[in-house]
Amino acid sequence: MQASLHGHFRTCARYNLWATERLYTVCASLTESAYRQRCPISGRSLHGVLNHLLVINRLWLARLRGYESDIVSVHEELHDDLESLRDATVAEDVILYDYVHGLSEEDLMRPVAYRNLAGEAHANAQAEMLTHLFSRQIEHRGEACGLVERTEEVPPKLGFIRFLASD
């Protein structure tokens, strides 16, 4: 068990890499039509959910690092094919991993000012922002697993405890 908040977020960043790999491996085994099929309830496909995950990663990482993001909508399609989307997502996960590993406990408590996509000003501690980012990733990976269940494939087991046991 991690004895510090910093250790907790480092574990979350490792989990993120692990979960991304497992989810994309299953998605790569799907037919293109299954991968692109929209869910009648959410209206999103696996492709849409995976693009959204990349969008929120980029958006929140830019905010954490004090940059203005070029993201204008959480519904942007950053990549049109699974392979380039996977490469970009893994690269972004590595950036997040490196970023978290470069933080100190004091950095985690430091507030960061940013504007949301509506232009409203906010400030949150980095720990709060990272908690939000990691929880959104878990939420949308769950959505993606639900979409995989609608296909012939078995969704990956992405439980955090499973990750810890494999670590």
Side-chain angles (χ1 to χ4, degrees):
M1 178 169 197
Q2 298 295 331
S4 69
L5 192 56
H6 183 250
H8 169 71
F9 286 117
R10 287 172 42 176
T11 301
C12 287
R14 281 194 342 270
Y15 168 77
N16 196 49
L17 286 161
W18 177 86
T20 293
E21 179 59 33
R22 292 173 64 88
L23 180 57
Y24 272 91
T25 297
V26 169
C27 288
S29 69
L30 296 171
T31 65
E32 185 69 13
S33 62
Y35 172 68
R36 300 270 180 182
Q37 182 179 1
R38 291 185 179 273
C39 173
I41 297 168
S42 71
R44 292 208 284 203
S45 65
L46 273 163
H47 181 73
V49 172
L50 295 177
N51 255 288
H52 181 69
L53 273 165
L54 179 58
V55 166
I56 63 172
N57 265 4
R58 285 196 179 159
L59 184 62
W60 282 100
L61 254 174
R63 290 171 178 167
L64 283 160
R65 296 162 74 194
Y67 301 140
E68 186 145 335
S69 172
D70 59 352
I71 302 292
V72 295
S73 167
V74 294
H75 304 293
E76 287 184 41
E77 182 178 60
L78 300 178
H79 295 276
D80 187 38
D81 65 285
L82 181 64
E83 185 177 337
S84 64
L85 183 57
R86 178 185 204 153
D87 292 346
T89 299
V90 170
E92 203 74 19
D93 285 352
V94 169
I95 292 168
L96 178 59
Y97 176 89
D98 290 343
Y99 179 78
V100 167
H101 277 71
L103 294 173
S104 67
E105 287 283 330
E106 296 78 29
D107 291 333
L108 289 168
M109 296 302 114
R110 183 175 48 82
V112 175
Y114 63 93
R115 292 194 176 276
N116 66 15
L117 292 176
E120 301 163 332
H122 295 275
N124 292 93
Q126 289 199 58
E128 295 168 335
M129 294 168 77
L130 286 167
T131 298
H132 177 74
L133 174 56
F134 287 126
S135 68
R136 290 299 307 271
Q137 290 171 339
I138 290 167
E139 172 189 348
H140 292 303
R141 277 197 216 72
E143 180 183 358
C145 287
L147 291 170
V148 170
E149 283 182 335
R150 299 174 65 87
T151 72
E152 299 294 320
E153 290 297 321
V154 175
K157 306 282 189 212
L158 299 180
F160 193 75
I161 295 296
R162 185 177 294 266
F163 159 73
L164 293 174
S166 73
D167 198 26

